[in-house]
Amino acid sequence: MNGLRVIPTWRHGRERLYVCLPDGRNIAWYDREAARVNLLGADREEDVLEALGPFLTGPVSVGPPPVPTPAELARLSLHPDDDLAPNRPGEALLVALDRDPGPARRLRPDPRRRALTAEQAVGEVLDRMDGAGWHTLHSVPLPGGDRIHHLLIGPGGLYAVHSLYAHKQRVTVDGPRVGLGRHAPQPLLRRVRADADRASYALTAEVRPVLVPVGASHVSVLAPPREVRVLTDGEVAGLAGLGGVLKPADAEALYAMARDRNTWARV
């Protein structure tokens, strides 16, 4: 054994297997679809191929990455525990439910599962924008236990997207307050704005807040909220058409910064 570890990742329907040193640093990755092993250093080629042996399917090409993007280089420089890119939509809720699923029978549905449904629905739409030059990070952790549900980065800028479960309920937005069905309005937009402000501080770039009521029967905006964009889940895909804010290189650099967990440690 040469001490190398193989860590599989799966994102946007594409599988890659990263080869890591004992300290967690990556030195190569295997792209099954391209049938290529990309090496960062030729001196470890034999060790890398030995570690990947059980995973290789048919002949593969071996060599340095053709033209590594800044985002790919950032991924390779990060310890796996610090990389937020593999997070699934609702990652924090999935972990919480796995640790504490709650009682098998309960009078009311677990609110965590409803929240998870909303985050997964929005996350699926955002992930489909990846091919249009956009990147999405899910469940970005903030100090104090808060988190940004989805952070969208691309040609149209940066957006902190908050998903709200509103299945078949009327949603009323009145200034900072959001009313859901017959429940008393809550100042939800203050939190949405605060999350975006913290992201702006961490990334030293403007991050726009977005609220997405998922599955709402009707959305009424009585008083336009300050700075916050309110979109139905059917309108989220329209963000992909925005542009003219970030150059591709700038978007890649911001994504590389945002995916590092340490970026968010002091905001």
Side-chain angles (χ1 to χ4, degrees), residues 17-222:
L17 293 99
Y18 287 89
V19 182
C20 306
L21 293 169
D23 64 3
R25 288 180 296 121
N26 295 295
I27 61 172
W29 72 93
Y30 170 40
D31 189 330
R32 285 188 189 273
E33 187 174 318
R36 179 179 177 82
V37 177
N38 297 280
L39 297 168
L40 292 185
D43 57 319
R44 299 299 299 269
E45 178 176 345
E46 292 186 6
D47 291 340
V48 166
L49 292 178
E50 179 184 349
L52 286 172
F55 305 94
L56 299 179
T57 55
V60 296
S61 59
V62 181
V67 182
T69 65
E72 192 64 69
L73 289 175
R75 168 68 180 90
L76 293 168
S77 66
L78 283 176
H79 188 282
D81 291 343
D82 291 331
D83 190 4
L84 300 177
N87 279 8
R88 301 160 292 178
E91 181 75 27
L93 291 171
L94 287 166
V95 172
L97 286 166
D98 183 60
R99 292 175 178 172
D100 178 19
R105 296 182 180 179
R106 52 191 306 162
L107 296 177
R108 296 181 179 179
D110 190 329
R112 296 176 300 173
R113 296 193 181 277
R114 291 185 170 185
L116 175 60
T117 298
E119 290 190 41
Q120 289 177 328
V122 174
E124 182 179 349
V125 176
L126 296 176
D127 282 344
R128 287 201 295 266
M129 295 166 57
D130 186 67
W134 293 83
H135 299 290
T136 304
L137 295 170
H138 304 289
S139 283
V140 177
L142 301 173
D146 294 330
R147 61 190 176 88
I148 298 171
H149 291 180
H150 319 277
L151 181 66
L152 180 65
I153 302 172
L158 296 87
Y159 297 87
V161 182
H162 188 95
S163 305
L164 175 66
Y165 182 87
H167 183 61
K168 295 184 178 180
Q169 298 185 77
R170 294 181 62 89
V171 175
T172 304
V173 180
D174 188 2
R177 295 184 175 274
V178 177
L180 188 62
R182 297 181 179 180
H183 298 283
Q186 300 294 323
L188 177 61
L189 296 191
R190 291 177 183 169
R191 174 189 169 183
V192 177
R193 278 199 300 267
D195 289 346
D197 288 344
R198 295 172 77 177
S200 297
Y201 178 82
L203 301 173
T204 61
E206 182 181 7
V207 179
R208 298 175 174 87
V210 178
L211 174 68
V212 182
V214 177
S217 61
H218 184 74
V219 178
S220 300
V221 180
L222 303 182

